[in-house]
Amino acid sequence: MEGPGTGTSERLILGLETSCDETAAALITDDGEIRSNVVSSQADLHARYGGVVPEVASRRHLELVTPVIREALGEARAELTDVERIAVTRGPGLIGALLVGLSAAKALAWALRLPLAPVDHLHGHVASLFLEPAAKRPVRVSGPGEGVRGNREVPPELPLAPPFLCLLASGGHTLLLDVQDHAGFDVLGTTLDDAAGEAFDKGARLLGLGYPGGAEIDRLAREGDPESFEFPVARVPGLDFSFSGLKTALLYKVRELGDEQVERRRADLAASYQRAIVRALVERTTAAAELTGAEQVAVVGGVAANSELRASLPGAALAPLELCTDNAAMIASASRFVQEIPFARYLAVDAYASTAA
Ligand code: KG4
Ligand code: ZN
């Protein structure tokens, strides 16, 4: 990985993300252009357990972190000497997994005498909207002045500028965020029990689908009738969410139907279950937009990849598909808006497992 910075004259930010079961490294410019974005998913490794096994994840991160960084540098045609800052996820996440990324980041930053920017994972998800879309990404059609204000049917161009209301729906979180600037956000609502992604994953397990289940349910739901089963949308006060009742309703339905019927009606079950989750997300997001008077709505996080959710919020800014699930480009992106720690003062920085706020 060493050698003169021959490949590129640009100064780059190296981002690292190891908070769960994806080992990821990315290089972006200070303007938010992605030069490389490598994600090595451990999903197959955890599939047999039906969920992420923390100790297994940490060990795998340890094996993957260096090759993934090498690959990110190679793809960007860059050398370590082209890097001007290291950005890394500090939390929330699995503590052992986070420590692998944080230690690698500290070691690299220290060896290269670079500053380190510790990034909050949730801020990272929001910052997936602050990246320049790659030239190859399809250009969204919108006229001048449309999108951000006024015509809510036209999605705005990315990168998105605050203020906006953001739905962050992932495997670990379901949050409604008031994003007033690039540096942070205020939490307006959260889940009282399971996260939306967790509801997808647990539902998939009940339906005998693979892990992680969100994408599997999304795929299967396209072949099913979303009106065939009635699943409850929990109504909790305020702007919070609740998904545990829905999961229990599916469990009872699966028991009631029996193996043979479940097998036959799996697509209908998936479509109806997905409809209930999406409905809950859309209802609460719309209520929050009305309550706060937000003119722009955005959706980020792994569940933002869901095709029904994307279609249900036509005027919303959607994180690009490849930036919905965990990646390091979003972490590097967020690092542009946090205070970096100068060389050598970061060696005592610790990871945190749950939300800091
Ligand atoms: O953001 P993410 O990669 O990790 C966390 O920070 O948690 O989100 C992962 C979650 C998983 O629960 C996965 O099932 C869900 O995102 N997911 C989806 C889809 N793709 C991933 N959920 C619904 N539909 C999808 N297409
Ligand atoms: Zn995430």
Side-chain angles (χ1 to χ4, degrees):
M1 271 191 273
E2 269 151 66
T6 49
T8 169
S9 54
E10 285 178 322
R11 307 299 291 158
L12 299 169
I13 304 169
L14 169 63
L16 295 181
E17 153 63 40
T18 64
S19 68
C20 191
D21 63 342
E22 263 101 24
T23 318
L27 287 151
I28 72 163
T29 67
D30 211 31
D31 297 337
E33 280 184 33
I34 300 174
R35 292 287 173 263
S36 63
N37 188 23
V38 176
V39 181
S40 177
S41 174
Q42 308 177 4
D44 292 350
L45 193 65
H46 300 281
R48 78 183 89 153
Y49 307 108
V52 179
V53 183
E55 186 56 26
V56 174
S58 312
R59 285 164 193 258
R60 194 77 180 126
H61 282 307
L62 212 49
E63 290 166 8
L64 289 172
V65 71
T66 307
V68 164
I69 294 170
R70 271 186 218 278
E71 203 178 322
L73 286 164
E75 240 175 60
R77 297 180 194 284
E79 307 278 350
L80 274 179
T81 43
D82 297 316
V83 175
E84 68 175 1
R85 179 196 306 143
I86 313 271
V88 64
T89 310
R90 188 180 179 191
L94 303 171
I95 196 73
L98 287 161
L99 284 172
V100 176
L102 187 59
S103 307
K106 281 185 198 172
L108 269 178
W110 190 77
L112 297 162
R113 301 186 152 256
L114 291 175
L116 181 89
V119 170
D120 182 272
H121 183 78
L122 307 177
H123 185 208
H125 274 298
V126 175
S128 65
L129 298 162
F130 303 152
L131 288 161
E132 287 286 344
K136 58 180 184 290
R137 263 181 222 144
V139 177
R140 293 170 195 268
V141 183
S142 72
E146 286 179 335
V148 176
R149 297 188 194 282
N151 185 352
R152 296 183 98 206
E153 292 306 302
V154 181
E157 300 276 354
L158 296 180
L160 189 68
F164 56 86
L165 173 79
C166 189
L167 169 67
L168 191 173
S170 70
H173 297 89
T174 310
L175 294 163
L176 277 167
L177 307 173
D178 177 17
V179 182
Q180 286 296 330
D181 57 50
H182 288 93
F185 49 74
D186 288 321
V187 177
L188 302 173
T190 185
T191 180
L192 302 177
D193 37 61
D194 293 345
E198 205 176 347
F200 270 108
D201 295 338
K202 288 179 176 170
R205 203 166 162 180
L206 288 172
L207 293 175
L209 303 170
Y211 169 85
E216 296 267 340
I217 289 192
D218 194 351
R219 213 171 301 131
L220 190 62
R222 284 173 212 163
E223 298 158 26
D225 173 8
E227 304 296 337
S228 52
F229 295 98
E230 185 90 35
F231 288 119
V233 175
R235 289 189 207 285
V236 286
L239 293 174
D240 291 333
F241 301 88
S242 167
F243 293 104
S244 65
L246 177 62
K247 176 191 63 192
T248 310
L250 179 65
L251 171 69
Y252 288 150
K253 187 53 76 183
V254 163
R255 279 192 191 152
E256 181 194 314
L257 290 173
D259 289 350
E260 202 185 304
Q261 285 281 333
V262 169
E263 179 73 41
R264 217 166 48 77
R265 306 204 57 194
R266 208 187 305 272
D268 287 341
L269 285 163
S272 305
Y273 186 71
Q274 172 172 286
R275 173 64 53 92
I277 297 176
V278 169
R279 203 169 270 170
L281 294 174
V282 170
E283 272 180 14
R284 275 294 131 105
T285 305
T286 311
E290 274 164 22
L291 204 72
T292 59
E295 292 186 48
Q296 182 60 63
V297 171
V299 191
V300 300
V303 178
N306 185 266
S307 57
E308 185 172 351
L309 180 62
R310 292 177 89 82
S312 304
L313 288 165
L318 305 169
L321 273 181
E322 70 276 20
L323 299 178
C324 287
T325 43
D326 288 348
N327 64 85
M330 69 184 197
I331 301 302
S333 174
S335 83
R336 296 175 297 149
F337 309 104
V338 303
Q339 192 76 43
E340 61 181 21
I341 307 175
F343 169 63
R345 283 207 220 137
Y346 38 73
L347 294 178
V349 168
D350 217 347
Y352 50 85
S354 48
T355 311

